[in-house]
Amino acid sequence: MSRAKGTFVKRAACLLVAAALAIPFGVRGNAADSDTLYFGALEEKVAQNVKTATVTKSEFYVTGAVQASLEFSSNQYVVCDVTEGVVHFQEMLVSQGDTVKKGDPIASIYVTVDEIEKEEVRRNLDAAKNNLEDYKADTKLLLEQYKKSLNQGSDRDRRLAQISYNRLRESYKAELEKRESRIDEYVIRLAEIESLENTKTVNAPTDGVIGFTNRIRKGEVLNRWSFLCSISDPGNVRVVVEGGSDLLRYNMPVKIVQSTGNRNVELTGRVVTMKSTASSVNLMARNDIIEIYGDTSQLMPGADVSVKFDKIYVEDALIVPKNALKSDKKGQYLNVYINGFSSKRYVVVGGADSMNYWIVFGVDEGDTIILE
């Protein structure tokens, strides 16, 4: 072979390699057999330093959430039930969300009474006791005199003495009961006044969970029936989504979450309101109602809750990382890695979460895709 001819063959081979290298990186993997064979011939010669991932199948879900409130069917108000004296508020002994039993202290108070009335009742009591003793002594003496007259004087005098004796004895019993009853009234009244002074707390009228608590300053005077807090029955509560939500459906399983301070309560439930277009508008509830399962005693009355649910759920979804999806004027696509080369595949995306895309159509499980 001449030098000129050899040079021509080398140049032709170089042009062929250059033409192969000039083919765009985004050639589709389903090209003609000749192209596939040609790429395969260069596969080992082309080093591709790219990050890849594999299309996998797994559960795919996107959660939604709406704000809601708790509705307790049984609420009882705790009020200041001290009806006399001046009641001074000290402090609340419970907080919202606390569980209490009947009789547990709710708030501390102290009561001041009318000292003039107290002293007057005490004087009246002492006077009534002294008068009773004097009455007993006087009546006993008079009865003894009548009794002596029964054996003295004429028959007429003895009959008159007997009549007087009998009348005095009967009136003595009635007057004695009357005076003793008056003493009892003074004793009871004095005990009531002293009991008011010793009243230190307002107590829970029933079992339950503390709801809304009134804000009262220390030392503030409480009026009769002043509201202190509410007690709710934790065994009968439901969740209400005010105004309803288009995302909630009848019998949909949901999670009820309440986070207040360091307390985090999570329960399950289901939607019990129906929004079927077949139903009359007049029969549809304006609010969505959710039935709660499990122990509701830890839910705090008066505090909002979040209702969480699966907005999208696919059991066997094709999943790709978010940084693998690209887009151009034609749509969204993935670069599938085939034998060291990229094949551009346009795809249909079903949804996205914080890290991945759900691919409805365009790739298969096990495909290797190029990341950014």
Side-chain angles (χ1 to χ4, degrees), residues 345-371:
R345 303 279 184 87
Y346 286 95
V347 296
V348 177
V349 178
D353 60 20
S354 60
M355 299 180 63
N356 300 308
Y357 283 108
W358 161 37
I359 305 301
V360 178
F361 177 79
V363 290
D364 296 316
E365 182 183 11
D367 285 349
T368 300
I369 55 175
I370 299 175
L371 304 178

Side-chain angles (χ1 to χ4, degrees), residues 27-44:
V27 176
R28 295 177 61 87
N30 57 354
D33 292 342
S34 59
D35 292 338
T36 303
L37 291 174
Y38 185 70
F39 292 149
L42 296 177
E43 184 176 3
E44 296 179 357

Side-chain angles (χ1 to χ4, degrees), residues 74-81 89 91-101 104-109 201-216 222 225-233 300-302:
S74 176
N75 291 291
Q76 188 163 343
Y77 298 129
V78 181
V79 298
C80 176
D81 55 358
F89 177 81
E91 64 174 329
M92 291 295 294
L93 302 176
V94 295
S95 300
Q96 187 177 9
D98 289 348
T99 300
V100 295
K101 296 291 185 181
D104 286 349
I106 298 297
S108 64
I109 59 173
T201 59
V202 177
N203 301 323
T206 186
D207 299 350
V209 178
I210 299 296
F212 176 77
T213 56
N214 195 8
R215 293 183 178 179
I216 307 174
L222 299 179
W225 312 125
S226 292
F227 172 76
L228 296 175
C229 67
S230 64
I231 298 180
S232 303
D233 178 7
M300 181 182 293

Side-chain angles (χ1 to χ4, degrees), residues 102-122:
K102 183 177 180 179
D104 286 349
I106 298 297
S108 64
I109 59 173
Y110 73 91
V111 182
T112 56
V113 299
D114 187 347
E115 291 295 334
I116 296 177
E117 181 192 4
K118 181 180 177 181
E119 184 60 30
E120 184 179 353
V121 172
R122 184 179 285 112

Side-chain angles (χ1 to χ4, degrees), residues 12 41 82 84 94 100 139 143 145 159 169 182 249 280 295 343 372:
V82 179
E84 291 188 77
V94 295
V100 295
T139 305
L143 285 172
Q145 291 177 354
R159 286 196 301 272
R169 189 173 59 179
R182 186 177 299 118
R249 296 289 182 269
S280 170
D295 180 14
S343 175
E372 61 180 3

Side-chain angles (χ1 to χ4, degrees), residues 39-229:
F39 292 149
L42 296 177
E43 184 176 3
E44 296 179 357
K45 297 181 181 179
V46 179
Q48 298 291 342
N49 186 19
V50 293
K51 292 182 180 180
T52 62
T54 303
V55 179
T56 59
K57 269 189 179 181
S58 66
E59 287 185 332
F60 178 82
Y61 56 90
V62 177
T63 60
V66 293
Q67 289 298 110
S69 59
L70 297 174
E71 185 178 275
F72 291 82
S73 63
S74 176
N75 291 291
Q76 188 163 343
Y77 298 129
V78 181
V79 298
C80 176
D81 55 358
V82 179
T83 57
E84 291 188 77
V86 180
V87 182
H88 304 267
F89 177 81
Q90 289 292 91
E91 64 174 329
M92 291 295 294
L93 302 176
V94 295
S95 300
Q96 187 177 9
D98 289 348
T99 300
V100 295
K101 296 291 185 181
K102 183 177 180 179
D104 286 349
I106 298 297
S108 64
I109 59 173
Y110 73 91
V111 182
T112 56
V113 299
D114 187 347
E115 291 295 334
I116 296 177
E117 181 192 4
K118 181 180 177 181
E119 184 60 30
E120 184 179 353
V121 172
R122 184 179 285 112
R123 287 201 305 267
N124 290 337
L125 175 60
D126 293 339
K129 288 181 178 179
N130 293 331
N131 290 338
L132 177 61
E133 295 302 320
D134 292 342
Y135 175 72
K136 286 180 178 181
D138 293 343
T139 305
K140 183 179 180 181
L141 181 60
L142 190 56
L143 285 172
E144 289 176 353
Q145 291 177 354
Y146 285 147
K147 194 171 184 180
K148 289 179 180 180
S149 299
L150 294 177
N151 300 320
Q152 298 176 359
S154 62
D155 293 340
R156 182 176 179 274
D157 291 338
R158 289 197 299 270
R159 286 196 301 272
L160 290 174
Q162 184 67 52
I163 293 172
S164 298
Y165 178 83
N166 292 337
R167 286 180 176 176
L168 181 58
R169 189 173 59 179
E170 291 299 323
S171 64
Y172 172 73
K173 292 180 181 179
E175 184 65 22
L176 191 63
E177 291 178 357
K178 181 179 179 181
R179 289 172 182 260
E180 287 177 343
S181 176
R182 186 177 299 118
I183 290 174
D184 289 342
E185 291 177 359
Y186 290 138
V187 170
I188 292 172
R189 180 56 185 158
L190 187 61
E192 288 176 347
I193 294 174
E194 292 174 347
S195 176
L196 286 173
E197 290 180 311
N198 294 326
T199 301
K200 303 301 181 184
T201 59
V202 177
N203 301 323
T206 186
D207 299 350
V209 178
I210 299 296
F212 176 77
T213 56
N214 195 8
R215 293 183 178 179
I216 307 174
R217 296 187 303 273
K218 183 176 181 179
E220 184 175 336
V221 174
L222 299 179
N223 298 320
R224 185 179 181 183
W225 312 125
S226 292
F227 172 76
L228 296 175
C229 67

